[in-house]
Amino acid sequence: MLSRTELLRGDFLHVFRDQVRLPDGATAQREYVVHPGAVMVVPLLSVSDRAAQIVLERQYRYPVRRTIIEFPAGKIDSGEDTWVCAQRELREETGYIASEWARAGVLHPVVAYSTEFIEVWFARGLSAGERQLDAGEFLDVFSASSEQLMDWCRTGEVTDAKTMVGALWLQNWLHGAWALDWRAVQSEGGGA
């Protein structure tokens, strides 16, 4: 990096323009968003014979001006452990608390212009409770089969990248191709 200019400091996003040197010696500008990172949860209500019943959400997303089907997800608070964030987001958005968790992996949804990463978690042993939505957060929680989710990904009803990655993980886990290392929760919100 040769120089950096701050373009925007919002409540949520921070945008920069850097002047950089390219491998061939030329210079170029790179504009990008600094994002604190997020988690996404694949909540399993039940699993049997290579299929699962899962928890999803419908939420209107202003930038694309449409209601999106997606897995529960949310931004990591400053200094927050990603597993603790996953537990918090699942509880706040859906009301569910899980007795077992497994970290699947991480994805970078928009590497061309953002530092954002999303850590993917699976949750099972769900117990229903009350949601605790953030102010201004409106979403519908519903359940669907893994087959329905895969069909919605195929037909374009699901277009959210993180949810499509979650569906890929789910399908591979259900078919025994990808393993998950499950861990039990010892206390609410506190990890193992």
Short mmCIF file of all heavy atoms in Angstrom, two decimals, residues 10-72:
data_model
loop_
_atom_site.label_atom_id
_atom_site.label_comp_id
_atom_site.label_asym_id
_atom_site.label_seq_id
_atom_site.Cartn_x
_atom_site.Cartn_y
_atom_site.Cartn_z
N GLY A 10 -19.18 4.68 8.79
CA GLY A 10 -20.58 4.61 9.20
C GLY A 10 -20.73 3.89 10.52
O GLY A 10 -19.74 3.53 11.17
N ASP A 11 -21.97 3.68 10.92
CA ASP A 11 -22.23 2.93 12.15
C ASP A 11 -21.83 1.47 12.01
O ASP A 11 -21.50 0.82 12.99
CB ASP A 11 -23.72 3.01 12.50
CG ASP A 11 -24.15 4.41 12.88
OD1 ASP A 11 -23.29 5.20 13.33
OD2 ASP A 11 -25.35 4.72 12.72
N PHE A 12 -21.86 0.96 10.79
CA PHE A 12 -21.62 -0.45 10.55
C PHE A 12 -20.41 -0.69 9.65
O PHE A 12 -19.64 -1.60 9.86
CB PHE A 12 -22.88 -1.07 9.96
CG PHE A 12 -22.78 -2.52 9.61
CD1 PHE A 12 -22.39 -3.46 10.55
CD2 PHE A 12 -23.09 -2.97 8.34
CE1 PHE A 12 -22.30 -4.80 10.23
CE2 PHE A 12 -23.01 -4.31 8.01
CZ PHE A 12 -22.61 -5.22 8.96
N LEU A 13 -20.25 0.12 8.61
CA LEU A 13 -19.21 -0.11 7.61
C LEU A 13 -18.17 1.00 7.62
O LEU A 13 -18.47 2.15 7.96
CB LEU A 13 -19.83 -0.21 6.22
CG LEU A 13 -20.83 -1.34 6.02
CD1 LEU A 13 -21.45 -1.25 4.63
CD2 LEU A 13 -20.18 -2.69 6.22
N HIS A 14 -16.97 0.63 7.19
CA HIS A 14 -15.85 1.54 7.10
C HIS A 14 -15.25 1.32 5.72
O HIS A 14 -14.89 0.20 5.37
CB HIS A 14 -14.85 1.17 8.20
CG HIS A 14 -13.92 2.25 8.58
ND1 HIS A 14 -13.07 2.13 9.63
CD2 HIS A 14 -13.67 3.47 8.06
CE1 HIS A 14 -12.33 3.21 9.75
NE2 HIS A 14 -12.68 4.05 8.81
N VAL A 15 -15.17 2.38 4.90
CA VAL A 15 -14.75 2.24 3.51
C VAL A 15 -13.46 3.02 3.27
O VAL A 15 -13.33 4.18 3.69
CB VAL A 15 -15.85 2.74 2.55
CG1 VAL A 15 -15.43 2.54 1.10
CG2 VAL A 15 -17.18 2.02 2.82
N PHE A 16 -12.52 2.38 2.57
CA PHE A 16 -11.23 2.98 2.26
C PHE A 16 -10.95 2.90 0.76
O PHE A 16 -11.48 2.04 0.05
CB PHE A 16 -10.10 2.22 2.97
CG PHE A 16 -10.09 2.39 4.45
CD1 PHE A 16 -10.69 1.45 5.28
CD2 PHE A 16 -9.48 3.49 5.02
CE1 PHE A 16 -10.68 1.60 6.65
CE2 PHE A 16 -9.45 3.66 6.40
CZ PHE A 16 -10.06 2.71 7.21
N ARG A 17 -10.05 3.79 0.31
CA ARG A 17 -9.46 3.71 -1.02
C ARG A 17 -7.94 3.71 -0.82
O ARG A 17 -7.39 4.66 -0.27
CB ARG A 17 -9.86 4.88 -1.90
CG ARG A 17 -9.20 4.82 -3.30
CD ARG A 17 -9.50 6.04 -4.16
NE ARG A 17 -10.92 6.11 -4.44
CZ ARG A 17 -11.67 7.21 -4.22
NH1 ARG A 17 -11.12 8.31 -3.73
NH2 ARG A 17 -12.95 7.21 -4.49
N ASP A 18 -7.29 2.64 -1.24
CA ASP A 18 -5.83 2.53 -1.12
C ASP A 18 -5.19 2.68 -2.49
O ASP A 18 -5.74 2.20 -3.50
CB ASP A 18 -5.42 1.16 -0.56
CG ASP A 18 -5.75 0.98 0.91
OD1 ASP A 18 -6.25 1.94 1.54
OD2 ASP A 18 -5.50 -0.12 1.43
N GLN A 19 -4.05 3.31 -2.51
CA GLN A 19 -3.20 3.35 -3.70
C GLN A 19 -2.19 2.23 -3.50
O GLN A 19 -1.50 2.19 -2.47
CB GLN A 19 -2.50 4.71 -3.81
CG GLN A 19 -1.75 4.93 -5.08
CD GLN A 19 -2.64 5.29 -6.25
OE1 GLN A 19 -3.80 5.66 -6.09
NE2 GLN A 19 -2.13 5.16 -7.45
N VAL A 20 -2.11 1.29 -4.46
CA VAL A 20 -1.25 0.11 -4.30
C VAL A 20 -0.31 -0.05 -5.49
O VAL A 20 -0.58 0.45 -6.58
CB VAL A 20 -2.10 -1.18 -4.13
CG1 VAL A 20 -2.97 -1.09 -2.89
CG2 VAL A 20 -2.94 -1.46 -5.36
N ARG A 21 0.77 -0.75 -5.24
CA ARG A 21 1.70 -1.09 -6.33
C ARG A 21 1.38 -2.51 -6.78
O ARG A 21 1.27 -3.43 -5.97
CB ARG A 21 3.15 -1.00 -5.87
CG ARG A 21 4.11 -1.25 -7.02
CD ARG A 21 5.49 -0.67 -6.88
NE ARG A 21 5.63 0.65 -6.31
CZ ARG A 21 5.46 1.81 -6.97
NH1 ARG A 21 5.09 1.81 -8.24
NH2 ARG A 21 5.65 2.97 -6.35
N LEU A 22 1.24 -2.68 -8.08
CA LEU A 22 0.93 -3.97 -8.67
C LEU A 22 2.21 -4.78 -8.91
O LEU A 22 3.31 -4.21 -8.92
CB LEU A 22 0.17 -3.77 -9.98
CG LEU A 22 -1.15 -3.00 -9.86
CD1 LEU A 22 -1.77 -2.79 -11.23
CD2 LEU A 22 -2.12 -3.73 -8.93
N PRO A 23 2.10 -6.08 -9.14
CA PRO A 23 3.29 -6.91 -9.37
C PRO A 23 4.16 -6.44 -10.54
O PRO A 23 5.37 -6.64 -10.53
CB PRO A 23 2.70 -8.31 -9.65
CG PRO A 23 1.40 -8.31 -8.92
CD PRO A 23 0.88 -6.89 -9.04
N ASP A 24 3.55 -5.79 -11.54
CA ASP A 24 4.33 -5.31 -12.68
C ASP A 24 4.93 -3.93 -12.46
O ASP A 24 5.52 -3.33 -13.36
CB ASP A 24 3.48 -5.32 -13.95
CG ASP A 24 2.33 -4.31 -13.91
OD1 ASP A 24 2.17 -3.58 -12.91
OD2 ASP A 24 1.57 -4.26 -14.91
N GLY A 25 4.76 -3.35 -11.25
CA GLY A 25 5.31 -2.05 -10.93
C GLY A 25 4.35 -0.89 -11.10
O GLY A 25 4.61 0.21 -10.63
N ALA A 26 3.27 -1.11 -11.82
CA ALA A 26 2.27 -0.05 -12.02
C ALA A 26 1.53 0.19 -10.70
O ALA A 26 1.62 -0.60 -9.76
CB ALA A 26 1.28 -0.46 -13.11
N THR A 27 0.79 1.29 -10.63
CA THR A 27 -0.02 1.58 -9.45
C THR A 27 -1.50 1.53 -9.82
O THR A 27 -1.87 1.70 -11.00
CB THR A 27 0.31 2.96 -8.85
OG1 THR A 27 0.05 3.97 -9.83
CG2 THR A 27 1.76 3.03 -8.39
N ALA A 28 -2.32 1.27 -8.81
CA ALA A 28 -3.77 1.19 -9.02
C ALA A 28 -4.47 1.56 -7.72
O ALA A 28 -3.84 1.61 -6.66
CB ALA A 28 -4.18 -0.22 -9.45
N GLN A 29 -5.76 1.81 -7.83
CA GLN A 29 -6.58 2.10 -6.64
C GLN A 29 -7.40 0.87 -6.31
O GLN A 29 -7.88 0.16 -7.20
CB GLN A 29 -7.51 3.27 -6.91
CG GLN A 29 -6.80 4.58 -7.04
CD GLN A 29 -7.77 5.75 -7.18
OE1 GLN A 29 -8.98 5.59 -7.04
NE2 GLN A 29 -7.23 6.92 -7.44
N ARG A 30 -7.59 0.65 -5.02
CA ARG A 30 -8.44 -0.44 -4.53
C ARG A 30 -9.38 0.15 -3.49
O ARG A 30 -8.92 0.67 -2.47
CB ARG A 30 -7.62 -1.57 -3.90
CG ARG A 30 -6.67 -2.26 -4.87
CD ARG A 30 -7.43 -3.07 -5.91
NE ARG A 30 -6.54 -3.84 -6.75
CZ ARG A 30 -6.25 -3.53 -8.00
NH1 ARG A 30 -6.75 -2.44 -8.56
NH2 ARG A 30 -5.46 -4.30 -8.71
N GLU A 31 -10.68 0.08 -3.75
CA GLU A 31 -11.68 0.52 -2.79
C GLU A 31 -12.27 -0.71 -2.12
O GLU A 31 -12.57 -1.70 -2.80
CB GLU A 31 -12.79 1.33 -3.48
CG GLU A 31 -12.27 2.63 -4.06
CD GLU A 31 -13.31 3.41 -4.83
OE1 GLU A 31 -14.42 2.88 -5.08
OE2 GLU A 31 -13.02 4.56 -5.18
N TYR A 32 -12.42 -0.64 -0.79
CA TYR A 32 -12.92 -1.82 -0.08
C TYR A 32 -13.59 -1.42 1.22
O TYR A 32 -13.34 -0.36 1.78
CB TYR A 32 -11.79 -2.82 0.17
CG TYR A 32 -10.66 -2.27 1.01
CD1 TYR A 32 -10.59 -2.52 2.37
CD2 TYR A 32 -9.67 -1.48 0.43
CE1 TYR A 32 -9.56 -2.01 3.14
CE2 TYR A 32 -8.63 -0.97 1.19
CZ TYR A 32 -8.58 -1.23 2.54
OH TYR A 32 -7.57 -0.72 3.30
N VAL A 33 -14.43 -2.32 1.67
CA VAL A 33 -15.19 -2.16 2.90
C VAL A 33 -14.53 -2.98 3.99
O VAL A 33 -14.23 -4.17 3.79
CB VAL A 33 -16.65 -2.65 2.70
CG1 VAL A 33 -17.43 -2.57 4.00
CG2 VAL A 33 -17.33 -1.86 1.59
N VAL A 34 -14.30 -2.37 5.14
CA VAL A 34 -13.81 -3.09 6.31
C VAL A 34 -15.05 -3.51 7.11
O VAL A 34 -15.88 -2.68 7.47
CB VAL A 34 -12.87 -2.22 7.17
CG1 VAL A 34 -12.51 -2.93 8.46
CG2 VAL A 34 -11.62 -1.87 6.37
N HIS A 35 -15.17 -4.80 7.33
CA HIS A 35 -16.33 -5.39 7.99
C HIS A 35 -15.84 -6.18 9.20
O HIS A 35 -14.82 -6.85 9.12
CB HIS A 35 -17.06 -6.31 7.01
CG HIS A 35 -18.35 -6.86 7.50
ND1 HIS A 35 -18.41 -7.88 8.43
CD2 HIS A 35 -19.62 -6.56 7.18
CE1 HIS A 35 -19.68 -8.18 8.66
NE2 HIS A 35 -20.44 -7.39 7.92
N PRO A 36 -16.57 -6.13 10.33
CA PRO A 36 -16.09 -6.81 11.54
C PRO A 36 -16.17 -8.33 11.51
O PRO A 36 -15.63 -8.99 12.39
CB PRO A 36 -17.00 -6.25 12.64
CG PRO A 36 -18.25 -5.85 11.93
CD PRO A 36 -17.80 -5.39 10.56
N GLY A 37 -16.83 -8.90 10.53
CA GLY A 37 -17.01 -10.34 10.47
C GLY A 37 -18.37 -10.74 11.03
O GLY A 37 -19.04 -9.96 11.71
N ALA A 38 -18.77 -11.96 10.72
CA ALA A 38 -20.09 -12.44 11.10
C ALA A 38 -20.07 -13.95 11.30
O ALA A 38 -19.07 -14.61 11.02
CB ALA A 38 -21.11 -12.05 10.02
N VAL A 39 -21.18 -14.45 11.79
CA VAL A 39 -21.40 -15.89 11.90
C VAL A 39 -22.70 -16.24 11.20
O VAL A 39 -23.57 -15.39 11.01
CB VAL A 39 -21.48 -16.36 13.37
CG1 VAL A 39 -20.17 -16.09 14.10
CG2 VAL A 39 -22.65 -15.73 14.08
N MET A 40 -22.82 -17.49 10.80
CA MET A 40 -24.06 -18.03 10.28
C MET A 40 -24.27 -19.38 10.96
O MET A 40 -23.31 -20.13 11.17
CB MET A 40 -24.01 -18.23 8.78
CG MET A 40 -25.30 -18.84 8.21
SD MET A 40 -25.14 -19.33 6.49
CE MET A 40 -24.06 -20.76 6.63
N VAL A 41 -25.51 -19.69 11.28
CA VAL A 41 -25.84 -20.94 11.97
C VAL A 41 -26.77 -21.79 11.10
O VAL A 41 -27.76 -21.29 10.57
CB VAL A 41 -26.51 -20.66 13.33
CG1 VAL A 41 -26.83 -21.96 14.05
CG2 VAL A 41 -25.64 -19.75 14.19
N VAL A 42 -26.43 -23.08 10.98
CA VAL A 42 -27.29 -24.07 10.33
C VAL A 42 -27.97 -24.84 11.47
O VAL A 42 -27.38 -25.76 12.03
CB VAL A 42 -26.48 -25.02 9.43
CG1 VAL A 42 -27.39 -26.06 8.79
CG2 VAL A 42 -25.71 -24.23 8.37
N PRO A 43 -29.20 -24.44 11.86
CA PRO A 43 -29.88 -25.07 12.99
C PRO A 43 -30.63 -26.33 12.54
O PRO A 43 -31.48 -26.28 11.65
CB PRO A 43 -30.85 -24.00 13.47
CG PRO A 43 -30.58 -22.78 12.65
CD PRO A 43 -29.90 -23.24 11.42
N LEU A 44 -30.33 -27.45 13.17
CA LEU A 44 -30.92 -28.74 12.83
C LEU A 44 -32.02 -29.09 13.83
O LEU A 44 -31.73 -29.30 15.01
CB LEU A 44 -29.85 -29.82 12.85
CG LEU A 44 -28.64 -29.58 11.95
CD1 LEU A 44 -27.53 -30.57 12.28
CD2 LEU A 44 -29.04 -29.68 10.49
N LEU A 45 -33.25 -29.16 13.35
CA LEU A 45 -34.35 -29.60 14.21
C LEU A 45 -34.36 -31.11 14.34
O LEU A 45 -34.63 -31.65 15.41
CB LEU A 45 -35.69 -29.12 13.65
CG LEU A 45 -35.97 -27.63 13.77
CD1 LEU A 45 -37.18 -27.24 12.94
CD2 LEU A 45 -36.19 -27.26 15.23
N SER A 46 -34.07 -31.80 13.24
CA SER A 46 -34.00 -33.27 13.25
C SER A 46 -33.17 -33.73 12.06
O SER A 46 -33.05 -33.02 11.06
CB SER A 46 -35.39 -33.89 13.19
OG SER A 46 -36.03 -33.55 11.96
N VAL A 47 -32.59 -34.92 12.20
CA VAL A 47 -31.78 -35.52 11.14
C VAL A 47 -32.14 -36.99 11.05
O VAL A 47 -32.18 -37.68 12.07
CB VAL A 47 -30.27 -35.37 11.42
CG1 VAL A 47 -29.45 -36.05 10.34
CG2 VAL A 47 -29.88 -33.91 11.57
N SER A 48 -32.41 -37.46 9.82
CA SER A 48 -32.67 -38.88 9.61
C SER A 48 -32.46 -39.24 8.15
O SER A 48 -32.87 -38.50 7.27
CB SER A 48 -34.10 -39.25 10.04
OG SER A 48 -35.04 -38.58 9.23
N ASP A 49 -31.80 -40.33 7.93
CA ASP A 49 -31.64 -40.91 6.59
C ASP A 49 -31.22 -39.88 5.53
O ASP A 49 -31.92 -39.68 4.55
CB ASP A 49 -32.93 -41.62 6.17
CG ASP A 49 -32.73 -42.51 4.96
OD1 ASP A 49 -31.63 -43.07 4.81
OD2 ASP A 49 -33.67 -42.63 4.16
N ARG A 50 -30.10 -39.22 5.75
CA ARG A 50 -29.54 -38.26 4.79
C ARG A 50 -30.44 -37.06 4.51
O ARG A 50 -30.39 -36.47 3.43
CB ARG A 50 -29.15 -38.95 3.50
CG ARG A 50 -28.06 -39.95 3.66
CD ARG A 50 -27.62 -40.50 2.36
NE ARG A 50 -26.49 -41.39 2.56
CZ ARG A 50 -25.70 -41.80 1.60
NH1 ARG A 50 -25.89 -41.41 0.38
NH2 ARG A 50 -24.70 -42.61 1.87
N ALA A 51 -31.27 -36.73 5.46
CA ALA A 51 -32.15 -35.57 5.33
C ALA A 51 -32.24 -34.88 6.68
O ALA A 51 -31.98 -35.50 7.72
CB ALA A 51 -33.53 -35.99 4.85
N ALA A 52 -32.61 -33.63 6.66
CA ALA A 52 -32.73 -32.87 7.90
C ALA A 52 -33.91 -31.91 7.81
O ALA A 52 -34.30 -31.48 6.73
CB ALA A 52 -31.45 -32.10 8.18
N GLN A 53 -34.44 -31.58 8.96
CA GLN A 53 -35.41 -30.49 9.11
C GLN A 53 -34.61 -29.35 9.73
O GLN A 53 -33.95 -29.54 10.76
CB GLN A 53 -36.58 -30.92 10.00
CG GLN A 53 -37.77 -30.00 9.95
CD GLN A 53 -38.52 -30.04 8.62
OE1 GLN A 53 -38.36 -30.96 7.81
NE2 GLN A 53 -39.32 -29.03 8.36
N ILE A 54 -34.63 -28.19 9.08
CA ILE A 54 -33.78 -27.08 9.48
C ILE A 54 -34.60 -25.83 9.76
O ILE A 54 -35.76 -25.72 9.36
CB ILE A 54 -32.75 -26.78 8.36
CG1 ILE A 54 -33.48 -26.57 7.04
CG2 ILE A 54 -31.70 -27.86 8.29
CD1 ILE A 54 -32.60 -26.20 5.88
N VAL A 55 -33.97 -24.90 10.47
CA VAL A 55 -34.59 -23.61 10.77
C VAL A 55 -34.03 -22.57 9.80
O VAL A 55 -32.81 -22.47 9.62
CB VAL A 55 -34.30 -23.17 12.23
CG1 VAL A 55 -34.88 -21.79 12.50
CG2 VAL A 55 -34.85 -24.20 13.21
N LEU A 56 -34.92 -21.81 9.18
CA LEU A 56 -34.55 -20.74 8.25
C LEU A 56 -35.29 -19.47 8.62
O LEU A 56 -36.19 -19.48 9.46
CB LEU A 56 -34.89 -21.14 6.82
CG LEU A 56 -34.10 -22.31 6.23
CD1 LEU A 56 -34.78 -22.85 4.99
CD2 LEU A 56 -32.67 -21.87 5.91
N GLU A 57 -34.92 -18.39 7.95
CA GLU A 57 -35.57 -17.10 8.16
C GLU A 57 -35.94 -16.48 6.81
O GLU A 57 -35.25 -16.71 5.81
CB GLU A 57 -34.63 -16.13 8.88
CG GLU A 57 -34.17 -16.60 10.23
CD GLU A 57 -33.09 -15.73 10.84
OE1 GLU A 57 -32.54 -14.85 10.15
OE2 GLU A 57 -32.80 -15.95 12.02
N ARG A 58 -36.99 -15.69 6.84
CA ARG A 58 -37.32 -14.82 5.72
C ARG A 58 -37.15 -13.40 6.22
O ARG A 58 -37.73 -13.02 7.24
CB ARG A 58 -38.76 -15.01 5.26
CG ARG A 58 -39.00 -16.23 4.44
CD ARG A 58 -40.42 -16.25 3.87
NE ARG A 58 -40.71 -17.52 3.26
CZ ARG A 58 -41.25 -18.56 3.88
NH1 ARG A 58 -41.60 -18.46 5.15
NH2 ARG A 58 -41.45 -19.69 3.25
N GLN A 59 -36.34 -12.61 5.50
CA GLN A 59 -36.06 -11.25 5.95
C GLN A 59 -35.95 -10.32 4.74
O GLN A 59 -35.26 -10.66 3.76
CB GLN A 59 -34.75 -11.23 6.75
CG GLN A 59 -34.42 -9.93 7.36
CD GLN A 59 -33.25 -10.00 8.35
OE1 GLN A 59 -33.00 -9.04 9.01
NE2 GLN A 59 -32.54 -11.11 8.44
N TYR A 60 -36.62 -9.19 4.81
CA TYR A 60 -36.52 -8.20 3.74
C TYR A 60 -35.14 -7.56 3.82
O TYR A 60 -34.74 -7.06 4.87
CB TYR A 60 -37.61 -7.13 3.87
CG TYR A 60 -37.57 -6.12 2.75
CD1 TYR A 60 -38.09 -6.44 1.50
CD2 TYR A 60 -36.99 -4.87 2.93
CE1 TYR A 60 -38.05 -5.52 0.46
CE2 TYR A 60 -36.95 -3.95 1.91
CZ TYR A 60 -37.47 -4.28 0.67
OH TYR A 60 -37.42 -3.36 -0.36
N ARG A 61 -34.43 -7.57 2.72
CA ARG A 61 -33.09 -6.99 2.65
C ARG A 61 -33.13 -5.77 1.74
O ARG A 61 -33.30 -5.87 0.53
CB ARG A 61 -32.08 -8.02 2.14
CG ARG A 61 -31.87 -9.19 3.09
CD ARG A 61 -31.31 -8.74 4.41
NE ARG A 61 -30.77 -9.84 5.20
CZ ARG A 61 -30.08 -9.67 6.29
NH1 ARG A 61 -29.84 -8.46 6.76
NH2 ARG A 61 -29.63 -10.72 6.95
N TYR A 62 -32.99 -4.62 2.36
CA TYR A 62 -33.17 -3.35 1.66
C TYR A 62 -32.27 -3.18 0.43
O TYR A 62 -32.75 -2.75 -0.62
CB TYR A 62 -32.96 -2.18 2.65
CG TYR A 62 -33.15 -0.85 2.00
CD1 TYR A 62 -34.42 -0.33 1.80
CD2 TYR A 62 -32.05 -0.11 1.55
CE1 TYR A 62 -34.60 0.90 1.18
CE2 TYR A 62 -32.23 1.11 0.93
CZ TYR A 62 -33.50 1.61 0.75
OH TYR A 62 -33.68 2.81 0.12
N PRO A 63 -30.96 -3.48 0.50
CA PRO A 63 -30.12 -3.24 -0.69
C PRO A 63 -30.60 -3.95 -1.95
O PRO A 63 -30.46 -3.41 -3.04
CB PRO A 63 -28.73 -3.75 -0.26
CG PRO A 63 -28.74 -3.57 1.23
CD PRO A 63 -30.15 -3.92 1.64
N VAL A 64 -31.18 -5.14 -1.82
CA VAL A 64 -31.65 -5.87 -3.01
C VAL A 64 -33.16 -5.75 -3.20
O VAL A 64 -33.71 -6.29 -4.15
CB VAL A 64 -31.21 -7.36 -3.00
CG1 VAL A 64 -29.71 -7.47 -3.11
CG2 VAL A 64 -31.73 -8.09 -1.77
N ARG A 65 -33.82 -5.06 -2.27
CA ARG A 65 -35.26 -4.76 -2.36
C ARG A 65 -36.12 -6.01 -2.51
O ARG A 65 -37.06 -6.05 -3.29
CB ARG A 65 -35.57 -3.80 -3.51
CG ARG A 65 -34.77 -2.51 -3.56
CD ARG A 65 -35.10 -1.58 -2.42
NE ARG A 65 -34.73 -0.21 -2.64
CZ ARG A 65 -33.52 0.31 -2.47
NH1 ARG A 65 -32.52 -0.46 -2.13
NH2 ARG A 65 -33.30 1.59 -2.65
N ARG A 66 -35.78 -7.04 -1.71
CA ARG A 66 -36.61 -8.25 -1.74
C ARG A 66 -36.44 -9.03 -0.44
O ARG A 66 -35.48 -8.84 0.30
CB ARG A 66 -36.31 -9.12 -2.95
CG ARG A 66 -34.92 -9.70 -3.01
CD ARG A 66 -34.70 -10.52 -4.26
NE ARG A 66 -35.18 -11.87 -4.04
CZ ARG A 66 -34.76 -12.92 -4.69
NH1 ARG A 66 -33.88 -12.80 -5.66
NH2 ARG A 66 -35.22 -14.12 -4.44
N THR A 67 -37.39 -9.92 -0.21
CA THR A 67 -37.33 -10.81 0.94
C THR A 67 -36.44 -11.99 0.58
O THR A 67 -36.60 -12.60 -0.48
CB THR A 67 -38.74 -11.28 1.33
OG1 THR A 67 -39.51 -10.12 1.67
CG2 THR A 67 -38.71 -12.22 2.51
N ILE A 68 -35.50 -12.29 1.46
CA ILE A 68 -34.49 -13.32 1.23
C ILE A 68 -34.68 -14.45 2.24
O ILE A 68 -34.90 -14.21 3.42
CB ILE A 68 -33.07 -12.72 1.38
CG1 ILE A 68 -32.85 -11.58 0.37
CG2 ILE A 68 -31.99 -13.78 1.26
CD1 ILE A 68 -32.81 -12.00 -1.07
N ILE A 69 -34.58 -15.67 1.76
CA ILE A 69 -34.55 -16.85 2.64
C ILE A 69 -33.09 -17.08 3.00
O ILE A 69 -32.23 -17.15 2.12
CB ILE A 69 -35.13 -18.09 1.94
CG1 ILE A 69 -36.62 -17.89 1.65
CG2 ILE A 69 -34.89 -19.35 2.79
CD1 ILE A 69 -37.24 -18.99 0.80
N GLU A 70 -32.84 -17.21 4.32
CA GLU A 70 -31.46 -17.38 4.75
C GLU A 70 -31.39 -18.09 6.09
O GLU A 70 -32.38 -18.19 6.81
CB GLU A 70 -30.75 -16.04 4.83
CG GLU A 70 -31.43 -15.01 5.69
CD GLU A 70 -30.88 -13.60 5.50
OE1 GLU A 70 -29.68 -13.40 5.80
OE2 GLU A 70 -31.63 -12.71 5.08
N PHE A 71 -30.20 -18.60 6.39
CA PHE A 71 -29.94 -19.15 7.71
C PHE A 71 -29.75 -18.00 8.69
O PHE A 71 -29.34 -16.90 8.30
CB PHE A 71 -28.67 -20.02 7.71
CG PHE A 71 -28.86 -21.40 7.15
CD1 PHE A 71 -28.17 -21.80 6.02
CD2 PHE A 71 -29.72 -22.30 7.76
CE1 PHE A 71 -28.33 -23.08 5.51
CE2 PHE A 71 -29.89 -23.58 7.26
CZ PHE A 71 -29.19 -23.97 6.13
N PRO A 72 -30.00 -18.22 9.98
CA PRO A 72 -29.74 -17.18 10.99
C PRO A 72 -28.27 -16.77 10.94
O PRO A 72 -27.38 -17.61 10.81
CB PRO A 72 -30.06 -17.87 12.32
CG PRO A 72 -30.98 -19.00 11.96
CD PRO A 72 -30.56 -19.43 10.59
#
